[in-house]
């Protein structure tokens, strides 16, 4: 459930006790830059944005999303999205696949196959199950939604290459297996999200 974040002092005490390596990195991070408010309180808008931003550099994604909003209008609604031809989405920069993914999300919200109105009340795995009903939303995208939109504090994505590379560098483990990572990450609960942020930060700032 989206809620106020735990006092950072409590989080830092936890990592100082259970993992000095993460603790050292965490002390160098401005978490306000990571836990910014969601772009919208409307999760249909947030998920549409997440789909558009997949596998794109921020600058390019920003430009495409701006044109998408100009096409659809600021009040982005599923009924508007499903009525727009795929070619129009392609013309503003979406790939054919992403045009279909955004329309699949809109269609499934409209027909009730995907329910977003209660998403904040679901546990993490239930959120993932609900969101991955949509074409183009896999487990990784759902996990990023949990972390950065719902602000769940115990998320670690084993499918994220950046986390895997950050782990390898911080813990000096070449080509770590999931079991190697899990052995350490399980001890970091209930604040695995902060460990994720620390590993991304460490990888980008070495």
């Amino acid at each position: 459930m989206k809620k106020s974040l735990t006092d950072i002092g409590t989080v830092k005490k936890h990592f100082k006790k259970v993992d000095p390596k993460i603790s050292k990195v965490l002390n160098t991070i401005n978490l306000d830059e990571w836990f910014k408010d969601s772009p919208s309180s409307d999760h249909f808008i947030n998920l549409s944005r997440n789909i558009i931003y997949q596998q794109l550099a921020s600058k390019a994604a920003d430009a495409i999303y701006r044109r998408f909003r100009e096409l659809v209008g600021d009040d982005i609604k599923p009924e508007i999205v499903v009525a727009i031809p795929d070619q129009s989405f392609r013309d503003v920069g979406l790939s054919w696949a992403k045009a279909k993914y955004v329309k699949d999300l809109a269609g499934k919200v409209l027909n009730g196959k995907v329910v977003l109105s209660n998403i904040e009340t679901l546990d993490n795995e239930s959120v993932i199950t609900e969101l991955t009903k949509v074409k183009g939303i896999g487990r990784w995208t759902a996990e990023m939604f949990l972390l950065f939109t719902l602000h769940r504090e115990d998320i670690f994505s084993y499918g994220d290459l950046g986390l895997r590379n950050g782990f390898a560098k911080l813990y000096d483990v070449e080509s770590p297996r999931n079991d190697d990572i899990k052995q350490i990450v399980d001890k970091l609960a209930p604040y695995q999200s902060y460990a994720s942020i620390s590993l991304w930060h460490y990888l980008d700032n070495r």
Side-chain angles (χ1 to χ4, degrees):
M1 184 181 299
K2 188 174 180 179
K3 58 182 179 58
S4 298
L5 295 170
T6 301
D7 177 75
I8 189 57
T10 300
V11 176
K12 288 183 175 181
K13 285 180 182 177
H14 170 77
F15 283 105
K16 186 176 182 180
K17 179 180 178 181
V18 303
D19 195 303
K21 289 181 180 291
I22 291 289
S23 177
K24 184 176 180 179
V25 178
L26 186 61
N27 285 330
T28 70
I29 298 173
N30 177 6
L31 288 171
D32 289 340
E33 289 299 311
W34 289 86
F35 285 113
K36 293 177 180 177
D37 290 337
S38 302
S40 171
S41 60
D42 185 327
H43 292 320
F44 175 73
I45 296 176
N46 291 329
L47 288 166
S48 297
R49 184 179 186 275
N50 289 353
I51 289 170
I52 291 169
Y53 273 68
Q54 286 174 353
Q55 298 178 324
L56 289 176
S58 294
K59 188 174 181 179
D62 287 344
I64 293 170
Y65 184 64
R66 183 180 66 253
R67 294 195 296 268
F68 170 82
R69 294 202 71 141
E70 290 170 354
L71 173 67
V72 178
D74 286 337
D75 190 22
I76 300 174
K77 297 294 184 185
E79 55 268 27
I80 297 174
V81 170
V82 295
I84 294 174
D86 288 5
Q87 182 63 56
S88 296
F89 288 127
R90 187 71 188 93
D91 291 342
V92 299
L94 275 72
S95 66
W96 289 114
K98 287 185 179 180
K100 293 183 183 302
Y101 297 160
V102 170
K103 293 186 80 169
D104 187 67
L105 169 65
K108 284 176 177 168
V109 169
L110 285 174
N111 65 24
K113 290 184 178 179
V114 171
V115 179
L116 301 179
S117 59
N118 68 339
I119 201 84
E120 293 178 5
T121 70
L122 303 180
D123 62 56
N124 293 344
E125 285 301 321
S126 296
V127 171
I128 291 169
T129 297
E130 191 69 17
L131 295 186
T132 53
K133 294 175 184 176
V134 178
K135 292 178 182 177
I137 295 183
R139 187 176 182 91
W140 179 85
T141 299
E143 288 168 337
M144 296 305 104
F145 178 84
L146 282 165
L147 202 167
F148 293 114
T149 301
L150 297 188
H151 295 171
R152 301 289 173 88
E153 294 182 298
D154 202 30
I155 302 297
F156 188 93
S157 178
Y158 285 86
D160 187 278
L161 183 60
L163 290 181
R164 189 173 295 274
N165 289 341
F167 182 95
K169 292 182 182 300
L170 182 62
Y171 295 98
D172 194 24
V173 179
E174 186 175 351
S175 302
R177 302 168 302 168
N178 281 354
D179 286 347
D180 299 324
I181 298 172
K182 186 175 175 59
Q183 187 174 4
I184 289 176
V185 169
D186 280 355
K187 298 175 183 177
L188 308 181
Y191 300 121
Q192 292 180 6
S193 295
Y194 297 91
S196 297
I197 289 170
S198 297
L199 291 174
W200 281 318
H201 178 83
Y202 183 73
L203 182 64
D204 288 342
N205 292 277
R206 282 199 71 201

